[in-house]
Amino acid sequence: MRTVRLLIGFDGTRYEGWQSQRKDRTIQEIFEKILLRLFKERTDLVSSSRTDSGVHALGLVAHFKTASRLSDRKIKDALNFYLPRDILVRAAKTVDNRFHARFSAKSKLYRYDIWRSATRPLREGPYALWHPGPLDLPLMRKASRHLLGTHDFSAFQDGGDQGRGAVRTIRSIRIAAKGPLVRIEVKGNGFLRHMVRIIVGTLIEVGRRKLPPEALPGIIASKKRPSAGPTAKSHGLTLVKVQY
C-alpha cells in the first residue's frame, strides 16, 4: 500500500463543506466516488481541514492509501477528468506512509475577504462578505494583536471540539485593504469549529466601533461564546495553504 497526497482547490459555493454526509453534496463524497471508479474498491480520503458549507479552498491537502500502480500523474489527470469544473486537483504525489493530512500539519493559513462598498459586489459576491458601512482598520489591527499567541479559544468556537480541547496558537493576523477589498489573513497551528469566522465577526464589530479593542483579552478570558462577535458568513472564507 502507498500513500498519495493530493493538493486540492475548489469553489465551495455549491457544496455542503468537505465531510461526507451521504447527501452527494460534499467534496469528500465526490472524490471518494471517483476513487471507487478508478480503483474498483472503496478508498477513504482524509482531509487536512473539514471546511464548512460554502467555504472555498486554494490549497487543501488530503491523502488516501492504495495498492494501485497508477502513476501520480495519471491519478491527478484521471481525477481532474471526472471532477466537476469547480473542483481541481493541483498535484498528486506518493509520500511516506507515515504522512497524515491532518495530524502531520504544522500550520494553516486562512483568508477572509470583505467587500467594503455602498453597492454590493458582482463578480466578487460569492467570495467576499459585503459590508456597506465603514470599517476602522487601525482599530481592527489593534484588536487582532490580542489574539496572537497561545490561548484557550473557547469563546471563538461554535459547538465543542470534543477530545481536543480549545487551546490553539495564532501565529499571525494580517489585515490589508486594496480599494473596496479588505483581506484578513489568519495563520495558526489549528482552528476550532467556525473559529476564523468568529474572529472575523468580532474584528468587524471592532471596525464598526461597536466593540473596543481592549475588550479582546476579556473575551478570551471568559471562554464563553456569547462574549465574542457574530460568526461571519462562510462564503468569504478561503483555506489558502497547509504547511507540513
Side-chain angles (χ1 to χ4, degrees):
M1 296 290 285
R2 62 196 252 239
T3 300
V4 179
R5 180 173 68 188
L6 303 179
L7 181 64
I8 301 168
F10 57 82
D11 179 332
T13 304
R14 298 194 303 128
Y15 303 104
E16 299 296 326
W18 169 268
Q19 192 168 12
S20 177
Q21 300 174 16
R22 306 304 172 198
K23 296 179 180 178
D24 296 324
R25 298 294 298 173
T26 70
I27 308 294
Q28 183 182 19
E29 286 169 331
I30 290 171
F31 268 99
E32 290 184 351
K33 285 185 177 181
I34 297 173
L35 291 171
L36 176 61
R37 186 171 186 172
L38 293 179
F39 302 136
K40 310 305 180 185
E41 61 182 6
R42 177 178 170 80
T43 304
D44 295 325
L45 187 62
V46 180
S47 168
S48 58
S49 306
R50 297 173 181 175
T51 58
D52 298 323
S53 174
V55 173
H56 315 291
L58 294 175
L60 182 142
V61 176
H63 81 268
F64 64 88
K65 293 185 181 295
T66 181
S68 170
R69 294 185 177 182
L70 205 62
S71 70
D72 292 343
R73 176 61 184 270
K74 287 184 178 179
I75 289 174
K76 174 189 171 184
D77 290 346
L79 286 170
N80 283 331
F81 179 81
Y82 290 113
L83 283 167
R85 292 175 62 87
D86 49 7
I87 306 175
L88 177 71
V89 175
R90 300 181 180 276
K93 183 179 181 181
T94 298
V95 295
D96 190 293
N97 279 330
R98 293 172 294 180
F99 175 82
H100 192 284
R102 184 179 181 189
F103 299 128
S104 298
K106 300 299 183 184
S107 68
K108 299 174 184 177
L109 175 65
Y110 283 90
R111 79 180 187 206
Y112 196 97
D113 285 347
I114 302 168
W115 195 262
R116 184 180 50 171
S117 171
T119 305
R120 63 178 175 82
L122 181 58
R123 289 184 300 174
E124 299 83 4
Y127 313 108
L129 174 69
W130 176 38
H131 185 80
L135 289 173
D136 191 321
L137 299 190
L139 283 183
M140 293 170 67
R141 294 185 184 105
K142 184 177 181 181
S144 72
R145 289 194 283 272
H146 293 293
L147 297 167
L148 299 177
T150 302
H151 306 282
D152 184 321
F153 281 99
S154 294
F156 294 85
Q157 69 169 332
D158 282 328
D161 217 36
Q162 289 86 359
R164 298 192 64 206
V167 175
R168 298 291 186 273
T169 300
I170 299 296
R171 294 175 180 168
S172 66
I173 300 179
R174 182 175 178 267
I175 303 173
K178 184 176 181 181
L181 178 65
V182 176
R183 176 163 290 174
I184 301 174
E185 293 184 340
V186 184
K187 183 178 182 180
N189 70 341
F191 296 93
L192 304 167
R193 185 170 184 261
H194 297 169
M195 180 174 163
V196 177
R197 292 166 58 193
I198 298 170
I199 287 175
V200 170
T202 304
L203 293 178
I204 288 175
E205 290 297 279
V206 173
R208 296 174 62 216
R209 300 184 179 178
K210 299 291 186 180
L211 186 70
E214 295 76 21
L216 269 293
I219 293 173
I220 296 170
S222 77
K223 302 181 184 179
K224 303 294 184 182
R225 173 66 187 92
S227 301
T231 304
K233 293 183 178 180
S234 61
H235 68 274
L237 184 64
T238 299
L239 172 61
V240 177
K241 186 176 183 180
V242 183
Q243 292 184 321
Y244 293 92

